[in-house]
Amino acid sequence: MTRRSGTAVLVAWLTLVWVGLWGSVTAANVLGGLAVALVLVRVLRPSPAGAPAVVSPPALLRFVLRFLVDLVVSSLQVARLAVGRRVELRSGIVSVQVPGASDTLLTVLADAITLTPGTLTVEVDASTATLYVHALDVGEGPEGVQRLRASLREQARAVVRAMGTAEARSHPTPLGRTGDRRREGQP
Amino acid sequence: MTAVFAVCFAGLAVAALLVLVRLLLGPSVPDRIVSLDTLLQVVVAGVAIAAARTRSGEFLAVLLAVSLLGFLGTVVVARFVERRGA
Amino acid sequence: MRDVLSAVLMLTGVALALVAALGLVRFPDVFSRMHAATKPSTLGLLLITVGAAVRMREGGDAVALLLVAAFQFVTGPVAAHMIGRAAYRSGAGAQAGLVVDELADVSAPPA
């Protein structure tokens, strides 16, 4: 998606919301919404977040379907924990890095992580493209943390495939092999 | 359908009471923000079901306003807590 | 037929709202309570609004309800993230008993 088409999508979405709020599709509503959207985009100049995203419809569809399934699974999981007997949970906060991710991509990924089973984004460091994720249960020992990080990275890869920037796509191993900043010795 | 609506409203009422318990217990401010956020969702759910019962869209504008204002409130208070501490 | 679909969606949604409330009360710390407050209640509200939309007489009303659901999807996780960050930075999550905390290396929570 180029900068121009990004703005076009935004205008279309704002117009859609406007028409939805009025509740009926009439010429006046559509034109009014279009006018308001254009004024808003012109006045507020929302900065297109970083490099243009490359949207891949099939990957996006797969991601959305996967996301809906995850949402159901995570709701059931929380339901079981809420209704069942108290279990000892080993919760923790794990970091995962997404090199080359734009702000938009990080936002979508953070949202997806929050709504999928057992994980919740608590902090985002946009400068290093790192998400800090709270997990209800990290499992036993360092292997558990590694497994968790691997599944988070898989999720990030799905988002990159669906709507990543060219840079994020071209990253040799989209999220590195070890993703853990301490291991990679970065500041 | 009458029974369905009765069950829905009763369920939401119980949910709201449970959320109130957490709101009163706290213990931290973030706990209370989470509770208020959830309480608002229960209210939005209630209005949506009420709209479904009467099949009229009178309160839907209220619904949209409430759900967006709720988000704004949550963000503002969260930022406040972040700076001032719980 | 539409009534049945609407009833099933709304009842499931209410059940999920109940589960979210129950989790909010029973879970031990602020982070796990947020898990309860985000996932089931987002899905629950989605089901309830769709269930209500199915019953509406006018298409415009149904669209308004679906907009509520869409806003919820966009704002819910962002709000959760804001609260989570506030909880961590303010030290409210300190008693959470985390077994790993890779955030502590970069942003020390106040004691």
Side-chain angles (χ1 to χ4, degrees):
Chain A
M1 216 191 310
T2 63
R3 191 193 169 101
R4 213 163 236 284
S5 70
T7 307
V9 168
L10 187 61
V11 168
W13 161 247
L14 288 173
T15 310
L16 194 72
V17 170
W18 179 271
V19 173
L21 288 174
W22 279 103
S24 59
V25 186
T26 64
N29 284 344
V30 174
L31 291 177
L34 205 57
V36 171
L38 285 173
V39 169
L40 279 179
V41 170
R42 195 41 75 82
V43 173
L44 297 177
R45 298 181 175 281
S47 57
V54 185
V55 176
S56 147
L60 187 61
L61 186 68
R62 256 202 309 281
F63 170 69
V64 169
L65 288 178
R66 179 70 218 256
F67 168 77
L68 287 176
V69 171
D70 277 350
L71 180 60
V72 173
V73 171
S74 64
S75 295
L76 293 177
Q77 184 200 39
V78 171
R80 207 179 52 230
L81 287 171
V83 178
R85 279 192 299 139
R86 255 167 225 272
V87 283
E88 202 57 33
L89 286 174
R90 296 165 47 82
S91 55
I93 296 179
V94 171
S95 69
V96 66
Q97 210 183 4
V98 193
S102 65
D103 286 356
T104 313
L105 198 140
L106 275 182
T107 310
V108 171
L109 180 59
D111 273 21
I113 286 173
T114 294
L115 292 176
T116 47
T119 51
L120 184 86
T121 313
V122 287
E123 180 72 282
V124 179
D125 185 346
S127 61
T128 57
T130 306
L131 296 178
Y132 296 89
V133 177
H134 178 267
L136 266 184
D137 194 10
V138 293
E140 294 294 323
E143 300 82 31
V145 175
Q146 288 309 323
R147 247 200 316 280
L148 180 66
R149 212 194 310 276
S151 86
L152 287 172
R153 238 178 261 139
E154 184 46 49
Q155 204 168 2
R157 244 176 252 129
V159 179
V160 169
R161 273 196 296 268
M163 49 178 295
T165 57
E167 189 199 345
R169 279 169 196 280
S170 68
H171 214 273
T173 47
L175 296 158
R177 250 181 301 283
T178 58
D180 185 343
R181 287 174 325 102
R182 279 175 305 176
R183 279 156 190 277
E184 285 169 5
Q186 290 170 12
Chain B
M1 261 335 249
T2 315
V4 170
F5 284 114
V7 171
C8 282
F9 285 129
L12 287 181
V14 175
L17 280 176
L18 286 170
V19 175
L20 271 179
V21 170
R22 178 50 69 199
L23 184 64
L24 293 174
L25 288 180
S28 67
V29 177
D31 280 305
R32 296 200 164 94
I33 310 177
V34 175
S35 309
L36 278 176
D37 217 31
T38 313
L39 196 58
L40 206 70
Q41 288 190 333
V42 172
V43 171
V44 170
V47 177
I49 292 176
R53 196 173 73 93
T54 60
R55 298 194 152 183
S56 77
E58 285 177 298
F59 298 112
L60 293 183
V62 178
L63 206 59
L64 280 161
V66 165
S67 60
L68 288 181
L69 278 178
F71 170 64
L72 203 64
T74 303
V75 170
V76 168
V77 180
R79 290 218 73 113
F80 178 75
V81 171
E82 215 171 285
R83 264 185 246 133
R84 292 281 302 274
Chain C
M1 188 59 221
R2 265 164 83 156
D3 273 3
V4 173
L5 178 64
S6 168
V8 169
L9 286 171
M10 287 193 297
L11 287 171
T12 316
V14 169
L16 282 170
L18 266 174
V19 160
L22 201 60
L24 199 59
V25 173
R26 289 192 65 202
F27 285 175
D29 62 86
V30 64
F31 293 125
S32 48
R33 282 172 206 145
M34 284 171 55
H35 283 270
T38 46
K39 295 150 214 200
S41 62
T42 301
L43 182 61
L45 200 56
L46 177 74
L47 295 179
I48 289 173
T49 46
V50 173
V54 168
R55 258 179 76 82
M56 299 316 281
R57 259 194 227 101
E58 285 172 43
D61 293 342
V63 172
L65 278 165
L66 295 180
L67 266 184
V68 171
F71 285 151
Q72 193 61 39
F73 256 84
V74 178
T75 60
V78 178
H81 160 61
M82 294 296 294
I83 303 169
R85 190 165 81 164
Y88 191 89
R89 289 194 181 169
S90 69
Q95 75 280 41
L98 304 168
V99 290
V100 264
D101 185 359
E102 294 177 359
L103 185 49
D105 306 341
V106 282
S107 142

